[in-house]
């Protein structure tokens, strides 16, 4: 491509209403290199569509459909010439109504994906209209024409080679002619059925399209001006990180930081495309640049907090000097589709945390009676809930001296339920009771990053 390309992605809060969409349009138009815009659904719409897909009764369906209509109409009503776009949105709303009636009778993951995709279809139609009213040559593009995926509905895997071929043939020529607006989060499988990429899917879409089109940069516009040393809502003194490596950002995301989804970064890492994270509410505030390498990476980079953790402790004297006990435990967990997060062992017990992030499953649905019965035939099982995972993200943590004193000195007043250290040089993490979690993060932040 002769002209460098920037792919800009806007999250749900950045397209939540008419004013937010106009702020996002300002951001897009402030840089002539931004030629491809990827949007999430307007804030709140996806949650309503997911709830509709669960098959509500008639009264609840009507209430949810009215709320979706209200969110979208509030944008339409402020357009100068709303009539044509209102008809288009009405057609989409009719489709949503029909699909939600169908899910009330019989549901499937494929039907859920079809229903949920309508949020992005509506937000992109409205955004194109806002750009056109400003005299911009903007074009709406259905991402399903190029985003080829597997048929694992709810969490489809992109077929990268096919995506690159289709993007070169169908997207590249359009970007040369117009500002193209398309949908995040959705794709289609080989038979043409709509799929979704799972949580954080819009960021992933932007990175995949950026890779396919050899973009210069991928901009992720959210409601926060970059990535911070920890959640500013927990620690108001948290500082923005100007530059961070992909590895550090992925560790933060995996351990609960909400700014980026870890899978999002993979295409950008593969192709060494820098990612910028900024706030569409305040683009002048700057943001964070995520790239493959940074100068002088610090020992401690950030803190992340992940709530709703479950600790499973398995005790058995048969573990003592025995072979194959852990293999048997993991085989049982695998049979029940349970993903293990952290593990620590002693002579006669193993403690592990269950990971249900990035999935629609709750802990209750992971810890089925069948699983507990099967584990109980092998060992004594203890389940603890209401725990939170605190992760310290850094560089070469397992090789540095004095880490223990700096970290655990600050945690003297707190009960630590489990500690994982040494497996990765990028993190040190531990479980604490949920009521203590925020106080733990504040104490650590004060100690490691100053007031």
């Amino acid at each position: 491509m002769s002209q460098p390309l920037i792919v800009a992605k806007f999250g749900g809060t950045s397209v939540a209403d008419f004013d937010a969409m106009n702020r996002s349009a300002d951001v897009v138009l402030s840089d002539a290199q931004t030629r491809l815009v990827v949007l999430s659904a307007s804030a709140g719409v996806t949650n309503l569509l997911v709830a509709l897909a669960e098959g509500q009764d008639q009264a609840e369906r009507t209430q949810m459909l009215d709320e979706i209509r209200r969110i979208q109409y509030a944008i339409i009503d402020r357009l100068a010439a709303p009539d044509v776009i209102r008809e288009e949105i009405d057609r989409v709303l009719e489709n949503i109504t029909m699909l939600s009636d169908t899910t009330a009778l019989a549901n499937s993951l494929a039907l859920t994906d079809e229903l949920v995709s309508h949020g992005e279809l509506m937000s992109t139609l409205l955004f194109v209209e806002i750009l056109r009213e400003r005299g911009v040559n903007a074009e709406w593009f259905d991402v399903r024409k190029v985003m080829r995926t597997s048929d694992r509905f709810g969490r489809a895997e992109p077929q990268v080679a096919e995506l690159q071929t289709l993007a070169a043939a169908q997207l590249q020529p359009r970007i040369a002619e117009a500002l193209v607006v398309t949908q995040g989060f959705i794709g289609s499988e080989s038979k043409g059925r709509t799929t979704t990429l799972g949580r954080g899917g819009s960021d992933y879409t932007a990175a995949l399209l950026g890779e396919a089109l050899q973009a210069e940069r991928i901009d992720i516009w959210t409601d926060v001006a970059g990535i911070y040393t920890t959640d500013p809502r927990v620690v108001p003194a948290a500082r923005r990180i100007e530059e961070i490596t992909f590895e550090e950002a992925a560790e933060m995301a995996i351990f609960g930081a909400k700014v980026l989804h870890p899978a999002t970064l993979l295409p950008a890492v593969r192709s060494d495309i820098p990612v910028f994270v900024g706030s569409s509410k305040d683009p002048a505030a700057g943001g964070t640049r995520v790239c493959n390498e940074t100068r002088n990476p610090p020992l401690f980079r950030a803190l992340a907090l992940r709530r709703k953790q479950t600790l499973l402790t398995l005790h058995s004297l048969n573990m003592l000097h025995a072979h194959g006990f852990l293999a048997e435990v993991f085989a049982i967990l695998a049979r029940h589709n349970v993903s293990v997060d952290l593990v620590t062992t002693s002579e006669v017990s193993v403690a592990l945390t269950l990971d249900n992030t990035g999935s629609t499953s709750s802990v209750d649905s992971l810890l089925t009676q069948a699983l507990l019965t099967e584990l109980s035939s092998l060992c004594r099982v203890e389940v603890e809930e209401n725990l939170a995972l605190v992760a310290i993200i850094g560089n070469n943590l397992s090789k540095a001296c004095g880490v223990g004193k700096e970290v655990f000195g600050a945690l003297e007043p707190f009960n630590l339920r489990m500690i994982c250290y040494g497996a990765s040089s990028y993190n040190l993490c531990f479980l604490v009771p949920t009521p203590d979690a925020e106080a733990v993060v504040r104490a650590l932040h004060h100690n490691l990053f100053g007031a």
Side-chain angles (χ1 to χ4, degrees):
M1 172 169 278
S2 53
Q3 187 190 4
L5 166 73
I6 294 172
V7 176
K9 176 262 169 179
F10 293 87
T13 52
S14 300
V15 290
D17 53 35
F18 183 80
D19 293 327
M21 280 196 172
N22 270 291
R23 282 194 298 270
S24 297
D26 291 338
V27 171
V28 170
L29 300 175
S30 69
D31 193 330
Q33 292 182 358
T34 304
R35 304 293 294 159
L36 179 63
V37 179
V38 176
L39 300 186
S40 298
S42 298
V45 171
T46 300
N47 288 345
L48 287 161
L49 290 168
V50 168
L52 281 169
E54 288 164 358
Q56 309 294 333
D57 65 36
Q58 184 64 57
E60 283 174 320
R61 285 207 304 281
T62 303
Q63 197 178 348
M64 288 172 182
L65 288 161
D66 286 347
E67 179 59 14
I68 293 170
R69 185 177 285 102
R70 185 198 64 73
I71 293 169
Q72 308 296 239
Y73 270 25
I75 299 168
I76 295 169
D77 289 342
R78 291 182 62 188
L79 291 166
D83 295 346
V84 176
I85 190 69
R86 194 190 303 276
E87 281 178 28
E88 282 194 66
I89 295 296
D90 279 344
R91 276 198 292 276
V92 178
L93 289 165
E94 276 171 33
N95 217 10
I96 293 171
T97 305
M98 184 190 73
L99 287 165
S100 64
D101 289 346
T102 309
T103 57
L105 300 171
N107 199 359
S108 71
L109 289 172
L111 198 57
T112 296
D113 276 6
E114 178 69 37
L115 182 53
V116 170
S117 71
H118 286 71
E120 278 71 16
L121 298 176
M122 289 190 290
S123 66
T124 46
L125 285 166
L126 291 165
F127 195 70
V128 166
E129 201 58 34
I130 278 176
L131 290 169
R132 283 179 181 159
E133 287 203 347
R134 291 182 173 212
V136 178
N137 177 20
E139 185 181 327
W140 186 84
F141 182 80
D142 189 336
V143 80
R144 292 172 295 188
K145 291 179 178 173
V146 298
M147 186 59 69
R148 193 65 72 246
T149 71
S150 67
D151 62 0
R152 186 185 173 195
F153 296 100
R155 221 171 165 180
E157 283 298 315
Q159 314 292 327
V160 176
E162 212 176 332
L163 161 62
Q164 290 183 337
T165 306
L166 291 167
Q170 298 195 47
L171 253 184
Q172 197 111 34
R174 285 184 162 91
I175 287 166
E177 299 295 320
L179 176 59
V180 176
V181 177
T182 195
Q183 306 78 34
F185 180 56
I186 66 178
S188 68
E189 45 87 76
S190 57
K191 293 176 186 157
R193 291 178 296 175
T194 299
T195 56
T196 63
L197 300 176
R199 292 184 194 176
S202 292
D203 290 356
Y204 197 18
T205 301
L208 286 161
L209 293 175
E211 179 182 44
L213 298 164
Q214 299 169 342
E216 182 92 351
R217 195 176 74 226
I218 296 154
D219 290 349
I220 307 282
W221 295 98
T222 68
D223 51 358
V224 285
I227 300 172
Y228 284 72
T229 45
T230 195
D231 186 341
R233 288 167 300 192
V234 177
V235 182
R239 295 197 296 273
R240 186 174 66 228
I241 302 164
E242 299 300 324
E243 207 172 52
I244 188 172
T245 64
F246 284 116
E247 279 95 346
E248 293 168 322
E251 289 276 340
M252 286 184 72
I254 288 163
F255 286 110
K258 295 282 191 293
V259 180
L260 283 174
H261 187 276
T264 303
L265 303 171
L266 293 176
V269 174
R270 276 194 304 253
S271 300
D272 197 11
I273 301 170
V275 174
F276 174 81
V277 182
S279 165
S280 62
K281 287 180 181 168
D282 188 6
T288 300
R289 192 170 182 272
V290 190
C291 45
N292 268 332
E293 285 179 23
T294 61
R295 291 181 300 281
N296 308 319
L299 179 62
F300 299 112
R301 178 62 92 184
L303 299 171
L305 173 61
R306 197 162 76 194
R307 302 170 206 270
K308 295 184 181 169
Q309 299 297 289
T310 300
L311 179 64
L312 211 56
T313 310
L314 312 174
H315 305 269
S316 174
L317 292 173
N318 297 337
M319 266 184 82
L320 205 58
H321 309 303
H323 301 289
F325 178 82
L326 278 178
E328 209 167 332
V329 166
F330 282 99
I332 292 170
L333 292 167
R335 276 200 295 279
H336 291 268
N337 296 316
V338 172
S339 167
V340 172
D341 195 20
L342 305 178
V343 182
T344 61
T345 62
S346 76
E347 287 293 307
V348 293
S349 62
V350 54
L352 37 94
T353 63
L354 303 186
D355 181 22
N356 67 319
T357 51
S359 132
T360 47
S361 317
S362 65
V363 169
D364 294 341
S365 60
L366 287 178
L367 282 177
T368 58
Q369 200 49 56
L371 168 61
L372 293 172
T373 303
E374 201 170 341
L375 285 171
S376 298
S377 66
L378 187 69
C379 52
R380 181 163 60 83
V381 181
E382 269 180 58
V383 179
E384 283 177 69
E385 290 180 332
N386 204 22
L387 295 166
L389 180 70
V390 177
I392 299 167
I393 316 299
N395 294 279
N396 290 319
L397 289 173
S398 55
K399 296 177 184 153
C401 301
V403 169
K405 184 174 182 229
E406 281 206 62
V407 170
F408 298 114
L411 300 178
E412 195 181 346
F414 304 103
N415 165 234
L416 305 186
R417 216 23 225 96
M418 176 182 183
I419 299 167
C420 276
Y421 179 43
S424 161
S425 62
Y426 286 106
N427 71 63
L428 185 175
C429 41
F430 39 86
L431 281 181
V432 296
T434 294
D436 293 341
E438 292 195 0
V440 165
V441 170
R442 282 192 285 270
L444 269 176
H445 194 277
H446 187 273
N447 218 43
L448 303 180
F449 301 103

